C-alpha cells in the first residue's frame, strides 16, 4: 500500500517490494512465519522483514490471535553511519480471535513506533535472596580470581556504565526478593514486584512479578539478552514474562538487580518504548498469486527404459512468471537454447547465486505445492527401477578417474615418490565431469513465462550402483542383478540417527553341531557358535549390501535419493567370545569339520590350498600349534611359519596339501639382523620380479583415531587428521599410498607366474586358502595405549604392514593380498565396535562385505591423493538420511555376522562384609601408589555374574 515510506523513517522503496515466505517456525502455542524482501528479486541485500505470529501472542495468553511485526533494515545497511546492535521493529499490529461482540469484527490497527521518553524512577530492593551466581555454585574463590584478574585494555568493552563490567558487584551474592518501583507519573509500572522461583527457564533465573490488581495488569521485570553480543543484557518491564513476545513497555538503563540493594543506585533512568496509531490508509495485503503450478502428469511410469537416458522428466511446471522475475532468474545463466528455453546453472560457477534466486522466487510456491500432496510422486516413497538396465557401468554418468603414476620426486636426495597424472587424460576427465547429466534441471521458457522442474532418477541410480559394481570390479552380470530404487525427499523431513550402542548377539537360537575327531567335546555354546559359522560358510546367511547417492535441488531443498542393493552371502564374520571362552577350539572344530571338502578342492595347478591360513600376533604361533595338537592330535597337518627363512623350507605341494598354516601378522615387516633388511618383502619382490617395496610408514603413532576429524581444504598442506599425531599431511598419505601400490603391484606380478609343485619359498599371497582366520584381529586394526605390546616385531610399523597384508583398504575381493575360498574370520575378545567407521572397517576385513559408505571409508582416504580428496569433497556432505542408512547397515552387519557367547553363570552366593580400618601414613601412601599403578593395567578379571 501507499504511504508507508512517508510515515516510517528510513524506509525508502518499501512500497515497491514484494515479500516472500522465508521461514516457518513452529513454537510452543504458536507458529511464526517470516517473510523477507530483497533488492532485485533476491539478488541483492535484504531490505525488510515481516514476522507474522499465529496463535498465542503472549506467553501467558489463553486465546489465539494474530500479530505482525515490520522491520526495516535500511538503518543497518546504509553506507554512512550504519546502525550496529539491536534493530527495532518499525510497525506492528495485533488482532485477537476473540471479540466482545460476535456481530462485529475485531478492531485492529497498525501502530508505528513513537519517540522514546526517558524518566528517572526510584527502584528499591529489599528482602535479599541468593543471586544467580550463588545458585550456580560460584563462591568466594571465583570472586577473588575475577578481582585479581587484570584484562588487557583492548578487550575492555567500550561501554559506559555505573557498574564495573570487569568485576563482581560488592553485593554480588544477593538479589532483591522484593522490588518497589515509584515515580512513574503514568502509573504503568509503579508497584511492588516479588521475585519468582523460576530457575534455568528464563535468562539468568531473573524474574520479578507485580500481581494484577484493580484493573491494572500483571507486570514482570526480567533481563532481555543481547543475543548478538553487541551490548549488555537489558532489564525490561513487560506484561509478559518472555522477551520473545516483544511486548516490553520500558527498558531500565544500566541496571542490574544488585543496584536495587544499594542506596546510591536506587535512582535509575527508564526508557519508555512508545507506540502510536498509524494512519488509516496503511495496509499490508496478500496479493493473489500470479504463478500457478500445474501437474505434469504421471512421473514414474514415464521414467526412461534405458539406463543411458540422460533426459529427465517434468516433475512440475510453474506458469505465469513475469518478465522481471524471468530476467532475475536468468541473470547469471549464459547458455540459452534456440527455442527460447534456458537451463539454470545450479551446480556450476553461478550455482550459488542461482540457487538463492530460486529459493526466494520459486521455493515457497513449490514447497507449498509439495506439502499439499500434488506432486506426481509421493514424498519419501521408494519407486523401483528395472534391474535389467544394468546401472553402475555408465561412464557418461560416472566417468572413471585417471590412474596415478608414481615417479621420483625431483631434487630429492633420498628416494621419494610422488603421484603424477597424465595432463591430457586429466583434461579429458574434467570435460567429462562438466558434461555429466544432472539429476535435477530447471528449464525456463522465456516466451510463455514457464518454469519446469525436471528430475532424472537414472543419474542418481548410476552413482549409487557405481561403487557397488565398478568399485569392486564385479561386472555387468552383477550390475543387472541389483535392486535399484529411488525416492524424492525433503531435507527438513529427514531424521537424525539415534545414538545407540552396538549389541553383539549370541548363538543361543542355533542348534548344536558335533565334529568327529575332536579329542575333547565342545560345550553347548561352542557347538552353537560352530553351527552359526558353518551356516555362513555354506552361504545360508545373506546380507544386503547397499549404497546410496543423494542429489540436492539447491534452493528448493528437495533431495533425490537412489539406492542400489543386493543380498549376497556373507563371506565371513567375527567370533567375539570373551577371553578364555574357547574361540580357538571352535575354530579348530570348524577346520576339522570341513577338512574333507577342503582336501577335495585343493589343486597345485589352480594354486588352491586346503589349508586354513591362521594369522596371529607374534608370540602366539606356537600356542596355536599346541592347541591344534591338544584337540586333534595329528589329524590335521600343520605348517608353522614364524619367519621368512622358515617359509623358504616349504614347497608349493606342501603348502597346498597342508590343513593349517600359521603365520605371524607382522611377517611382511619382519626385520633381520640389520635394521634396513626386510626379508619377507625382499623375498616377495625377488620371486615376483617386481620393484622393491618400501618400508611401511613409521613416522607417526599406531594409535589411530576411530574416525576422520576435520575437513580437507584445497591447496593446503594439512588435511583430515587420520592418525593421532599425524596432522593429516599429504606427504604421509603419499607414503601410505606408495607402500600399498608397490605391494599390490608385486602381488599382481606374483600371481601372473606359475610355480611347479617342488618350488620352495613361494610367498603366501600366491595361494588361494580354504579360509583365513585372524586371531586377535583388534590388535592389527588399532591399538590404544593400554594395549601396546613390548614385542619388538609388532610395533607400529609392523602393525601397519599387517593391515596391508590383510587387505584392510582393498575393496576388490580377488585383489586382496590373502584370498579365501570359504570365508574370513576374526577372533577377538574385544571387538572394535565404538563407531560405524570401525564396524565398516571390520566388515571389509572379514571377506570384503560392503556396508553403506564403504567407498569413502577413512582406510581408503588415508592413502588417497590430494586430487582424489578434493573430488570426494565435491560430492557434498552426506545428509541425515544417509547417516541413518550407514548406522542401519552397521547394526544389521553386527547382528548377522558377529557373535559373542558367554559361559554359564556361576552359582555363587556372595557374603558381603564391610570392615573399617585405620591406615598409618606410610600404609596409606603405599596403598595409593599401588592403586595408581593397577589402574594403568588392563584387567581381565571375570565378575561373579559372568
Amino acid at each position: 500500500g501507499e504511504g508507508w515510506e512517508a510515515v516510517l523513517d528510513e524506509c525508502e522503496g518499501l512500497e515497491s517490494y514484494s515479500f516472500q515466505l522465508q521461514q516457518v517456525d513452529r513454537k510452543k502455542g504458536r507458529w511464526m512465519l517470516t517473510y523477507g524482501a530483497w533488492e532485485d528479486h533476491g539478488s541483492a541485500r535484504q531490505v525488510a522483514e515481516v514476522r507474522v505470529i499465529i496463535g498465542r501472542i503472549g506467553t501467558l495468553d489463553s486465546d489465539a490471535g494474530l500479530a505482525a511485526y515490520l522491520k526495516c533494515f535500511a538503518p543497518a545497511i546504509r553506507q554512512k553511519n550504519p546502525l550496529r546492535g539491536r534493530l527495532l521493529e518499525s510497525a506492528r499490529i495485533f488482532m485477537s480471535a476473540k471479540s466482545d461482540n460476535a456481530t462485529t469484527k475485531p478492531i485492529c490497527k497498525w501502530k508505528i513506533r513513537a519517540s522514546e521518553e526517558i524518566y528517572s524512577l526510584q527502584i528499591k530492593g529489599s528482602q535479599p535472596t541468593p543471586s544467580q551466581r550463588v545458585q550456580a555454585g560460584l563462591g568466594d574463590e571465583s570472586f577473588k580470581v575475577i578481582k585479581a584478574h587484570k584484562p588487557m585494555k583492548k578487550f575492555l568493552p567500550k561501554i559506559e556504565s555505573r557498574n564495573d563490567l570487569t568485576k563482581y558487584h560488592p553485593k554480588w551474592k544477593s538479589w532483591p526478593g522484593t522490588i518497589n518501583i515509584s515515580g512513574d507519573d503514568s502509573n504503568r509500572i509503579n508497584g511492588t514486584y516479588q521475585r519468582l522461583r523460576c530457575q534455568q527457564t528464563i535468562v539468568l533465573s531473573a524474574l520479578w512479578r507485580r500481581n494484577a490488581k484493580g484493573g491494572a495488569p500483571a507486570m514482570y521485570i526480567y533481563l532481555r539478552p543481547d543475543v548478538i553480543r553487541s551490548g549488555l543484557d537489558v532489564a525490561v518491564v513487560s506484561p509478559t514474562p518472555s522477551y520473545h513476545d516483544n511486548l516490553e513497555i520500558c527498558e531500565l538503563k544500566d541496571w542490574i538487580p544488585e543496584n536495587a540493594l544499594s542506596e546510591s543506585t536506587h535512582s535509575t533512568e527508564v526508557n519508555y518504548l512508545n507506540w502510536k496509531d498509524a494512519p488509516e490508509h496503511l495496509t499490508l495485503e496478500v496479493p493473489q498469486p500470479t504463478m500457478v503450478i500445474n501437474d505434469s502428469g504421471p512421473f514414474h511410469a514415464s521414467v526412461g527404459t534405458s539406463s543411458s537416458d540422460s533426459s529427465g522428466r517434468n516433475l512440475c511446471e510453474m506458469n505465469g512468471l513475469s518478465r522481471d522475475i524471468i530476467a532475475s532468474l536468468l541473470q547469471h545463466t549464459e547458455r540459452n537454447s534456440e527455442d527460447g528455453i534456458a537451463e539454470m546453472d545450479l551446480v556450476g560457477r553461478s550455482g550459488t547465486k542461482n540457487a538463492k534466486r530460486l529459493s526466494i522466487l520459486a521455493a515457497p510456491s513449490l514447497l507449498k505445492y509439495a506439502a499439499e500432496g500434488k506432486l506426481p510422486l509421493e514424498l519419501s516413497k521408494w519407486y523401483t527401477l528395472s534391474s535389467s538396465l544394468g546401472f553402475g557401468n555408465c561412464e557418461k554418468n560416472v566417468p572413471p578417474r585417471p590412474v596415478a603414476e608414481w615417479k621420483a620426486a625431483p631434487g630429492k636426495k633420498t628416494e621419494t615418490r610422488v603421484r603424477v597424472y597424465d595432463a591430457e587424460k586429466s583434461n579429458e576427465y574434467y570435460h567429462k565431469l562438466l558434461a555429466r547429466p544432472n539429476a535435477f534441471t530447471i528449464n525456463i521458457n522465456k516466451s510463455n513465462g514457464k518454469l519446469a522442474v525436471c528430475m532424472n532418477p537414472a543419474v542418481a541410480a548410476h552413482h549409487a550402483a557405481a561403487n557397488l559394481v565398478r568399485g569392486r570390479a564385479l561386472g555387468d552380470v552383477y550390475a543387472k542383478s541389483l535392486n535399484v530404487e529411488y525416492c524424492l525427499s525433503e531435507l527438513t523431513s529427514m531424521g537424525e540417527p539415534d545414538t545407540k550402542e552396538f549389541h553383539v548377539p549370541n548363538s543361543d537360537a542355533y542348534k548344536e553341531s558335533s565334529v568327529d575327531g575332536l579329542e575333547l567335546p565342545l560345550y553347548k555354546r561352542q557347538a552353537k557358535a560352530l553351527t552359526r559359522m558353518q551356516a555362513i560358510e555354506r552361504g545360508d546367511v545373506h546380507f544386503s549390501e547397499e549404497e546410496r547417492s543423494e542429489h540436492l535441488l539447491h534452493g528448493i531443498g528437495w533431495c533425490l535419493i537412489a539406492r542400489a542393493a543386493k543380498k549376497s552371502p556373507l563371506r565371513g564374520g567375527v567370533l567375539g567370545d570373551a577371553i578364555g571362552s574357547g574361540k580357538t577350539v571352535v575354530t579348530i572344530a570348524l577346520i576339522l569339520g570341513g577338512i574333507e571338502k577342503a582336501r577335495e578342492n585343493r589343486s597345485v595347478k589352480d594354486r588352491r590350498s586346503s589349508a586354513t591360513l591362521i594369522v596371529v600376533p607374534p608370540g602366539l604361533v606356537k600356542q596355536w600349534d599346541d592347541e591344534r595338537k591338544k584337540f586333534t592330535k595329528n589329524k590335521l597337518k600343520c605348517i608353522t611359519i614364524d619367519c621368512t627363512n622358515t617359509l623358504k623350507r616349504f614347497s608349493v605341494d606342501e603348502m597346498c596339501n597342508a590343513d593349517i598354516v600359521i603365520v605371524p601378522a607382522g611377517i611382511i615387516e619382519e626385520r633381520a639382523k640389520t635394521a634396513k633388511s626386510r626379508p619377507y618383502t625382499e623375498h616377495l619382490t625377488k620371486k615376483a620380479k617386481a620393484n622393491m617395496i618400501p618400508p611401511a610408514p613409521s613416522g607417526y603413532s599406531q594409535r589411530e583415531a576411530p574416525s576422520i576429524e576435520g575437513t580437507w581444504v584445497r591447496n593446503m598442506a594439512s588435511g583430515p587428521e587420520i592418525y593421532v599425531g599425524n596432522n593429516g599431511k599429504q606427504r604421509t598419505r603419499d607414503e601410505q599410498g606408495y607402500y600399498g601400490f608397490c605391494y599390490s603391484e608385486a602381488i599382481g606380478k606374483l600371481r601372473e607366474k606359475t610355480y611347479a609343485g617342488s618350488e620352495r619359498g613361494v610367498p603366501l599371497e600366491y595361494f588361494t586358502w580354504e579360509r583365513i582366520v585372524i586371531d586377535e584381529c583388534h590388535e592389527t586394526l588399532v591399538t590404544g595405549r593400554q594395549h601396546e605390546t613390548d614385542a619388538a616385531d609388532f610395533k607400529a610399523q609392523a602393525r601397519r604392514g599387517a593391515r596391508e597384508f590383510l587387505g584392510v583398504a582393498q575393496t576388490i575381493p580377488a585383489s586382496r593380498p590373502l584370498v579365501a575360498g570359504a570365508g574370513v574370520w576374526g577372533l577377538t575378545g574385544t571387538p572394535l565396535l565404538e563407531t560405524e567407521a570401525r564396524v565398516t572397517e571390520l566388515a571389509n576385513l572379514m571377506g570384503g562385505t560392503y556396508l553403506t559408505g564403504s567407498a569413502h571409508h577413512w582406510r581408503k582416504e588415508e592413502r588417497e591423493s590430494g586430487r582424489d580428496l578434493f573430488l570426494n569433497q565435491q560430492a557434498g556432505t552426506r545428509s541425515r538420511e544417509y547417516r541413518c542408512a550407514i548406522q542401519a547397515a552397521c547394526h544389521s552387519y553386527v547382528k548377522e555376522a558377529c557373535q559373542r557367547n558367554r559361559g554359564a553363570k556361576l552359582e555363587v552366593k556372595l557374603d558381603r562384609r564391610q570392615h573399617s580400618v585405620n591406615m598409618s601414613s606410610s600404609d596409606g601412601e603405599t596403598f595409593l601408589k599401588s592403586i595408581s599403578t593397577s589402574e594403568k593395567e588392563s584387567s581381565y578379571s571375570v565378575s561373579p555374574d559372568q
Side-chain angles (χ1 to χ4, degrees), residues 175-315:
W175 278 2
T178 301
I179 295 178
N180 185 271
I181 300 180
S182 60
D184 179 15
D185 295 337
S186 64
N187 205 30
R188 284 183 288 177
I189 65 172
N190 285 341
T192 301
Y193 295 76
Q194 299 293 334
R195 188 180 182 189
L196 302 183
R197 295 181 179 179
C198 304
Q199 292 190 24
Q200 314 306 328
T201 57
I202 55 172
V203 178
L204 297 179
S205 303
L207 184 64
W208 290 262
R209 180 179 64 195
R210 183 193 76 180
N211 294 328
K213 185 178 180 181
M219 286 289 172
Y220 297 86
I221 301 174
Y222 58 81
L223 296 176
R224 184 188 65 211
D226 188 300
V227 179
I228 62 174
R229 312 316 298 165
S230 61
L232 302 177
D233 297 343
V234 179
V236 298
V237 181
S238 171
T240 71
S242 174
Y243 68 91
H244 293 291
D245 298 338
N246 292 313
L247 296 174
E248 296 97 342
I249 292 177
C250 61
E251 299 174 340
L252 310 184
K253 300 185 65 176
D254 195 16
W255 183 88
I256 58 177
E258 290 93 331
N259 294 147
L261 296 175
S262 299
E263 187 176 348
S264 60
T265 53
H266 282 170
S267 180
T268 300
E269 287 189 347
V270 177
N271 180 24
Y272 282 89
L273 309 174
N274 296 323
W275 296 84
K276 62 182 180 181
D277 291 338
E280 296 285 346
H281 63 275
L282 295 186
T283 60
L284 183 70
E285 65 179 19
V286 180
Q288 293 296 321
T290 58
M291 296 183 291
V292 180
I293 302 177
N294 296 328
D295 189 357
S296 299
F299 181 87
H300 181 63
S302 64
V303 173
T305 57
S306 171
S307 67
S308 60
D309 185 7
S310 60
S311 61
R313 299 293 181 268
N314 280 2
L315 194 61

Side-chain angles (χ1 to χ4, degrees), residues 331-343:
Q331 180 178 353
H332 303 288
T333 299
E334 301 174 357
R335 294 177 296 175
N336 292 323
S337 61
E338 297 179 357
D339 56 0
I341 298 178
E343 179 182 335

Side-chain angles (χ1 to χ4, degrees), residues 688-845:
K689 296 183 179 180
N691 296 324
M692 182 58 65
I693 302 171
S698 60
Y700 38 92
S701 169
Q702 76 272 27
R703 293 186 291 272
E704 285 82 355
S707 61
I708 272 190
E709 300 292 341
T711 303
W712 182 80
V713 181
R714 186 182 183 186
N715 296 330
M716 297 291 288
S718 61
E721 292 197 11
I722 299 173
Y723 295 102
V724 175
N726 170 26
N727 295 326
K729 294 180 180 178
Q730 184 58 47
R731 176 181 59 81
T732 307
R733 289 192 286 270
D734 286 341
E735 287 178 5
Q736 185 70 39
Y738 184 59
Y739 177 64
F741 168 77
C742 292
Y743 184 47
S744 297
E745 185 181 52
I747 293 172
K749 292 183 177 181
L750 177 71
R751 290 175 179 169
E752 290 175 358
K753 300 184 179 300
T754 301
Y755 295 101
S758 58
E759 182 77 18
R760 297 185 180 275
V762 175
L764 302 167
E765 295 87 347
Y766 176 78
F767 302 94
T768 297
W769 307 96
E770 176 64 17
R771 69 177 58 79
I772 297 169
V773 176
I774 308 165
D775 192 21
E776 303 297 344
C777 59
H778 65 279
E779 287 199 18
T780 301
L781 292 177
V782 65
T783 57
R785 190 180 299 274
Q786 69 273 23
H787 295 124
E788 287 184 353
T789 176
D790 294 329
D793 53 351
F794 209 46
K795 288 292 188 181
Q797 202 168 15
R799 292 172 187 266
R800 204 166 305 285
R803 285 194 284 276
E804 209 70 37
F805 183 56
L806 296 171
V808 73
Q810 180 59 260
T811 57
I812 302 176
S815 299
R816 300 172 76 90
L818 303 178
V819 180
V824 181
W825 295 96
L827 309 181
T828 175
T830 54
L832 298 171
L833 302 175
E834 356 30 356
T835 63
E836 284 81 7
R838 281 297 179 205
V839 176
T840 303
E841 181 181 30
L842 207 61
N844 186 51
L845 181 61

Side-chain angles (χ1 to χ4, degrees), residues 529-587:
L530 174 61
T531 304
R532 187 170 186 171
M533 296 173 77
Q534 289 173 335
I536 290 176
E537 289 199 348
R538 285 196 307 268
D540 296 342
V541 182
H542 288 72
F543 178 79
S544 180
E545 298 179 307
E546 177 185 306
E547 187 54 281
R548 297 190 177 201
S549 177
E550 299 176 327
H551 299 261
L552 183 65
L553 178 54
H554 298 282
I556 305 298
W558 289 344
C559 184
L560 171 61
I561 306 174
R563 67 181 179 192
K566 177 178 172 58
K567 280 203 168 187
S568 304
L570 282 175
R571 293 174 283 274
V574 177
L575 180 58
D577 291 1
I579 295 173
S581 296
K583 296 185 292 295
T584 303
V585 66
V586 174
T587 306

Side-chain angles (χ1 to χ4, degrees), residues 442-749:
I442 302 293
N443 296 321
I444 299 177
N445 192 321
K446 295 186 287 186
S447 60
N448 57 14
K450 182 183 294 185
L451 180 149
V453 180
C454 302
M455 187 175 79
N456 190 353
V459 172
H462 278 297
H463 283 266
N467 289 322
L468 282 176
V469 180
R470 271 195 282 161
R472 300 190 296 164
L474 294 178
D476 291 335
V477 176
Y478 180 85
K480 292 184 178 180
S481 67
L482 291 175
N483 178 33
V484 182
E485 299 174 305
Y486 72 93
C487 80
L488 181 64
S489 180
E490 288 184 334
L491 292 179
T492 55
S493 66
M494 296 181 180
E496 194 69 31
D498 296 329
T499 302
K500 50 186 179 180
E501 296 181 356
F502 291 98
H503 296 287
V504 184
N506 57 39
S507 302
D508 291 349
Y510 285 78
K511 296 180 179 180
E512 298 176 29
S513 292
S514 60
V515 177
D516 295 333
L518 272 181
E519 296 298 315
L520 296 173
L522 297 174
Y523 291 116
K524 289 184 178 181
R525 55 182 171 78
Q526 295 172 337
K528 292 180 178 182
L530 174 61
T531 304
R532 187 170 186 171
M533 296 173 77
Q534 289 173 335
I536 290 176
E537 289 199 348
R538 285 196 307 268
D540 296 342
V541 182
H542 288 72
F543 178 79
S544 180
E545 298 179 307
E546 177 185 306
E547 187 54 281
R548 297 190 177 201
S549 177
E550 299 176 327
H551 299 261
L552 183 65
L553 178 54
H554 298 282
I556 305 298
W558 289 344
C559 184
L560 171 61
I561 306 174
R563 67 181 179 192
K566 177 178 172 58
K567 280 203 168 187
S568 304
L570 282 175
R571 293 174 283 274
V574 177
L575 180 58
D577 291 1
I579 295 173
S581 296
K583 296 185 292 295
T584 303
V585 66
V586 174
T587 306
I588 292 173
L590 178 68
I591 297 170
L592 186 61
I595 195 61
E596 294 302 326
K597 182 179 178 181
R599 289 169 178 170
E600 291 175 3
N601 293 333
R602 64 189 176 196
S603 169
V604 174
K605 179 181 178 182
D606 298 330
R607 304 195 298 256
R608 178 65 183 259
S609 173
S610 59
T612 294
L613 180 67
I614 301 177
V615 184
V616 301
L620 295 184
V621 175
K622 187 177 184 306
Q623 178 181 325
W624 260 90
D625 193 33
D626 292 342
E627 291 293 301
R628 187 262 311 176
K629 295 175 183 177
K630 174 182 176 182
F631 289 103
T632 66
K633 292 193 181 294
N634 293 317
K635 297 182 181 69
L636 297 175
K637 184 179 180 181
C638 179
I639 294 176
T640 58
I641 300 173
D642 54 4
C643 63
T644 307
N645 286 334
T646 306
L647 171 67
K648 293 178 180 179
R649 296 204 297 263
F650 295 100
S651 66
V652 172
D653 280 333
E654 290 173 310
M655 297 291 279
C656 286
N657 294 325
D659 297 322
I660 294 177
V661 175
I662 306 172
V663 62
I667 191 172
I668 187 176
E669 286 298 319
E670 176 194 354
R671 292 294 189 269
K673 294 180 180 180
T674 60
K676 293 184 179 180
S677 177
R678 298 163 53 249
Y680 188 85
T681 52
E682 291 171 2
H683 178 66
L684 171 62
T685 53
K686 182 179 179 180
K687 281 286 186 180
K689 296 183 179 180
N691 296 324
M692 182 58 65
I693 302 171
S698 60
Y700 38 92
S701 169
Q702 76 272 27
R703 293 186 291 272
E704 285 82 355
S707 61
I708 272 190
E709 300 292 341
T711 303
W712 182 80
V713 181
R714 186 182 183 186
N715 296 330
M716 297 291 288
S718 61
E721 292 197 11
I722 299 173
Y723 295 102
V724 175
N726 170 26
N727 295 326
K729 294 180 180 178
Q730 184 58 47
R731 176 181 59 81
T732 307
R733 289 192 286 270
D734 286 341
E735 287 178 5
Q736 185 70 39
Y738 184 59
Y739 177 64
F741 168 77
C742 292
Y743 184 47
S744 297
E745 185 181 52
I747 293 172
K749 292 183 177 181

Side-chain angles (χ1 to χ4, degrees), residues 578 900 902-906 941-946:
R900 185 174 179 83
R902 300 179 183 274
K905 291 186 178 181
L906 299 177
S941 61
V942 180
S943 69
D945 289 338
Q946 292 174 327

